[in-house]
Amino acid sequence: MERTFIMIKPDGVQRNLVGEVIRRFETKGFKLVGLKLLSVSKELAAKHYDVHKERPFFAGLVQFITSSPVVAMVWEGDGVVASARNLIGATNPLTSPPGTIRGDFGVSIGRNLIHGSDAIETAQHEIALWFTPEELVSWEPTITPWVYE
Ligand code: DAT
Ligand code: MG
């Protein structure tokens, strides 16, 4: 079953949007298999955003992600990687449509509230970066037959 890595960034935690974000993923029908609140080290932030290390915003991004706690999660379900990106919306909250998390709650690209893996391979890499295998829980919600045909 497909899994993706989702992180509520420091702005999302500070703005009390943790419950709202989890609610959207839960009510969509995805299954939570990992969850923790943590302060991110510079090392982890730099590894997570390694693909952007040459970009001008990289230092500010690492500074931001390490400035206050984040909520790291793993969600599971059919097509969850692409679907989570749709729930999250575009990188720039101003051009992200209403109904998306960034479109509904954000204004600035550097305060876009939430991260979601952009591909299945990226998701596997990010999950391994943020979670140990023991921190991920395999379980079967009793509602599964009411969500999946
Ligand atoms: P996404 O988070 O939608 O996958 P991304 O991978 O291109 O977007 O960039 C990672 C994060 O870096 C993004 O969520 C916010 C920040 N960022 C991207 N482009 C930026 C820019 N032009 N100025 C400031 N921050 C930027
Ligand atoms: Mg990205």
Side-chain angles (χ1 to χ4, degrees):
M1 184 61 90
E2 195 171 307
R3 289 178 170 180
T4 196
F5 173 70
I6 300 294
M7 169 182 47
I8 306 174
K9 297 180 183 181
D11 50 338
V13 177
Q14 289 283 356
R15 292 182 53 197
N16 298 320
L17 290 170
V18 172
E20 173 68 25
V21 168
I22 291 176
R23 185 189 66 77
R24 290 182 181 216
F25 281 84
E26 279 185 326
T27 55
K28 173 69 177 168
F30 293 131
K31 175 168 70 174
L32 183 63
V33 295
L35 172 71
K36 60 185 172 185
L37 174 85
L38 73 158
S39 296
V40 183
S41 67
K42 296 271 181 209
E43 291 71 26
L44 178 56
K47 272 190 202 163
H48 175 76
Y49 282 120
D50 186 66
V51 67
H52 297 306
K53 64 174 179 288
E54 308 299 342
R55 310 283 287 277
F57 58 81
F58 179 75
L61 183 57
V62 169
Q63 169 60 35
F64 170 59
I65 292 298
T66 58
S67 66
S68 184
V70 306
V71 170
M73 299 181 278
V74 177
W75 287 88
E76 183 180 293
D78 274 0
V80 68
V81 173
S83 180
R85 295 279 292 188
N86 287 334
L87 291 173
I88 289 168
T91 303
N92 184 347
L94 277 187
T95 57
S96 195
T100 65
I101 293 165
R102 287 169 173 169
D104 285 349
F105 301 114
V107 174
S108 295
I109 197 163
R111 297 287 184 273
N112 65 7
L113 302 159
I114 181 166
H115 166 86
S117 307
D118 62 9
I120 291 175
E121 302 70 38
T122 320
Q124 289 166 349
H125 172 74
E126 291 176 351
I127 290 167
L129 193 58
W130 289 81
F131 286 88
T132 65
E134 300 75 42
E135 289 175 318
L136 301 176
V137 179
S138 291
W139 63 292
E140 208 48 66
T142 55
I143 62 161
T144 298
W146 302 102
V147 177
Y148 289 94
E149 187 179 13

